[in-house]
Amino acid sequence: MAKILCVLYDDPIGGYPASYARDAIPKIDRYPGGKTTPSPKQIDFKPGTLLGSVSGGLGLRKFLEGQGHTFIVTSDKEGSDSVFERELPDADIVISQPFWPAYLTAERIAKAKKLKLAITAGIGSDHVDLQAAIKQGITVAEVTYSNSISVSEHAVMMILSLVRDYIPSYKWVVDGGWNIADCVSRSYDLEAMEVGTVAAGRIGLAILRRLKPFDVKLHYTDRHRLPESVEKELNVTYHPSVESMVKVCDVITINAPLHPETEHLFDDALIGKMKRGAYIVNTARGKICDRDAVVRALKSGQLAGYAGDVWYPQPAPKDHPWRTMPHHGMTPHVSGTSLSAQARYAAGTREILECWFEKRPIREDYLIVDGGKLAGAGAHAYSVKKTA
Ligand code: NDP
């Protein structure tokens, strides 16, 4: 029997919800492009309920304990005294979400002698040291596509919020004001602006598609080019380098994975090449931007706004400068964990576990590391340091 160690975010401060704002969520069977949504044999939760917090347990408790496995769920993940660190040495499987990542560093992996499978309930396995996982023969899997559309909706919302300067206007209302000039003195239309995405994978492409009706001029850079038909359909300009794209854009949205090629890509030098008064929306990973370079650029006016939901580390400390820098629209890491997304990635996690226990292959699309190398989706989107 296996020991499954699952790290999830805390329940709401008012307690686990007794009821919800809506009675149901729409059922989606296929993603754009035709791949099927997760299809475990069974689920033991109601879609639309809170699954990503400790009491939700990703809806896995009945399934795992019913088969005689040990299922430990905790939010306590930092430091040598944490439940995660204490339970890790004899865990067979670790499950964690990028929103509240259980960082599986090389040191932790070295201590986790029995660990065979690390599942990301969601997308983005950069909280796992992939090189160490490769070395120790650990399979890393994530639920590819489960929250890509959720994130793309959030990114579009943030682009509009920044350009139109929505958040300060909302605050004036809450504070009892009617200060129209204060509200509009940094407010613009998105129409006709040049908007570029760093990476046009599942999320980046979904953002391009959603922005097209706003009559903006679209740009992208990626390691691979989109099919010509898609470039034509979206009238999107390809840039062979991020530098050439940022020079012409008013808005940049970042949608690449965090790996050695993208870590701290947006530093003083690259931000300095952007148009003065450009905006950055980063829902990919906090470390793709140099924390202090972003703060400097907002203070100097080089950037007119920065928004996103990804930070380093997570949770962000109380004194993280992105909480207080000017003209930001940051949220905690929430874009990929709407109740709608949770239903999909909880089902995907269950599907991966069913495959694992029944010794059936995990969908190729879900694999990041397998058999001692980058595999499936991981081989396509990630890189590891050449020193591996
Ligand atoms: P995909 O794998 O579909 O797309 C990633 C794209 O990034 C690929 O097209 C890949 O190129 C490209 N890429 C990789 N490296 C570079 C680079 N150096 N420069 C330019 N492009 C690059 O992933 P998704 O769209 O589903 O997700 C993207 C990222 O978004 C995830 O890795 C994750 O970090 C983040 N994410 C955030 C969430 C949130 O809640 N905020 C939730 C889900 C994901 P190639 O075609 O060559 O492989």
Side-chain angles (χ1 to χ4, degrees):
M1 288 298 114
K3 172 172 164 181
I4 297 106
L5 178 56
C6 183
V7 177
L8 301 178
Y9 45 78
D10 287 311
D11 285 348
I13 46 176
Y16 191 76
S19 65
Y20 290 87
R22 296 179 55 79
D23 296 327
I25 58 170
K27 189 162 170 11
I28 295 165
D29 294 319
R30 286 185 187 274
Y31 298 119
K35 294 235 160 100
T36 54
T37 51
S39 47
K41 289 180 175 167
Q42 200 186 317
I43 53 168
D44 299 313
F45 60 82
K46 183 170 184 292
T49 56
L50 184 61
L51 302 165
S53 75
V54 169
S55 295
L58 293 174
L60 293 170
R61 189 167 293 282
K62 192 173 164 201
F63 162 63
L64 291 173
E65 292 185 344
Q67 295 197 0
H69 301 299
T70 304
F71 185 46
I72 294 169
V73 184
T74 182
S75 64
D76 184 19
K77 69 187 182 77
E78 302 302 340
S80 52
D81 261 358
S82 62
V83 174
F84 178 61
E85 191 102 15
R86 275 188 274 125
E87 298 288 353
L88 186 61
D90 63 344
D92 300 278
I93 298 173
V94 165
I95 305 172
S96 142
Q97 301 168 111
F99 324 104
W100 189 261
Y103 293 106
L104 271 175
T105 58
E107 296 73 36
R108 279 177 162 171
I109 287 178
K111 283 189 215 156
K113 299 275 182 245
K114 290 183 71 186
L115 188 61
K116 283 281 160 281
L117 174 65
I119 304 177
T120 302
I123 303 174
S125 298
D126 48 273
H127 59 282
V128 181
D129 186 316
L130 298 181
Q131 266 179 274
I134 286 171
K135 214 168 131 203
Q136 203 158 304
I138 295 168
T139 296
V140 181
E142 59 185 48
V143 191
T144 301
Y145 230 141
S146 58
N147 56 14
S148 308
I149 300 304
S150 325
V151 178
S152 71
E153 289 185 2
H154 201 86
V156 171
M157 172 186 82
M158 286 185 148
I159 291 170
L160 287 165
S161 301
L162 284 186
V163 173
R164 301 208 55 97
D165 213 25
Y166 163 68
I167 297 167
S169 296
Y170 173 78
K171 193 160 181 299
W172 277 112
V173 168
V174 172
D175 292 346
W178 192 259
N179 301 45
I180 293 173
D182 290 284
C183 292
V184 301
S185 57
R186 296 180 65 90
S187 176
Y188 298 90
D189 290 353
L190 182 62
E191 184 183 21
M193 284 194 176
E194 314 273 344
V195 184
T197 174
V198 179
R202 282 171 283 265
I203 297 174
L205 181 57
I207 294 172
L208 291 173
R209 287 198 196 287
R210 278 155 183 74
L211 286 176
K212 173 102 173 89
F214 283 91
D215 290 331
V216 292
K217 293 168 200 148
L218 296 171
H219 303 260
Y220 80 102
T221 183
D222 198 300
R223 298 190 307 191
H224 295 97
R225 243 174 124 155
L226 290 167
E228 212 183 318
S229 58
V230 177
E231 286 192 358
K232 277 213 179 103
E233 170 207 331
L234 296 172
N235 194 20
V236 59
T237 306
Y238 170 73
H239 294 260
S241 74
V242 70
E243 285 82 7
S244 82
M245 185 176 79
V246 301
K247 275 185 197 156
V248 300
C249 283
D250 303 290
V251 181
I252 290 291
T253 159
I254 303 176
N255 301 292
L258 172 65
H259 59 131
E261 274 175 34
T262 56
E263 186 166 342
H264 293 150
L265 181 63
F266 280 78
D267 56 7
D268 286 305
L270 189 61
I271 295 174
K273 289 184 180 140
M274 297 176 73
K275 286 187 187 174
R276 192 191 78 84
Y279 305 87
I280 294 179
V281 168
N282 176 12
T283 49
R285 283 297 176 262
K287 268 202 197 172
I288 296 176
C289 294
D290 176 323
R291 185 191 74 173
D292 297 332
V294 167
V295 178
R296 281 191 285 275
L298 286 169
K299 285 187 176 160
S300 73
Q302 174 61 13
L303 286 178
Y306 181 96
D309 68 329
V310 284
W311 310 64
Y312 185 80
Q314 291 188 176
K318 285 222 160 51
D319 62 351
H320 195 295
W322 287 3
R323 290 183 188 270
T324 49
M325 62 191 180
H327 313 303
H328 81 79
M330 295 299 295
T331 63
H333 194 166
V334 292
S335 65
T337 185
S338 57
L339 294 176
S340 323
Q342 288 174 44
R344 286 187 295 274
Y345 68 68
T349 304
R350 165 102 180 224
E351 181 185 322
I352 291 168
L353 288 167
E354 285 178 0
C355 290
W356 184 260
F357 291 132
E358 293 166 21
K359 301 198 181 343
R360 286 187 285 121
I362 294 169
R363 286 193 210 201
E364 187 72 10
D365 269 0
Y366 290 177
L367 290 174
I368 302 298
V369 169
D370 193 39
K373 56 182 188 335
L374 288 173
H380 186 77
Y382 286 88
S383 62
V384 286
K385 287 198 179 94
K386 299 281 183 278
T387 50

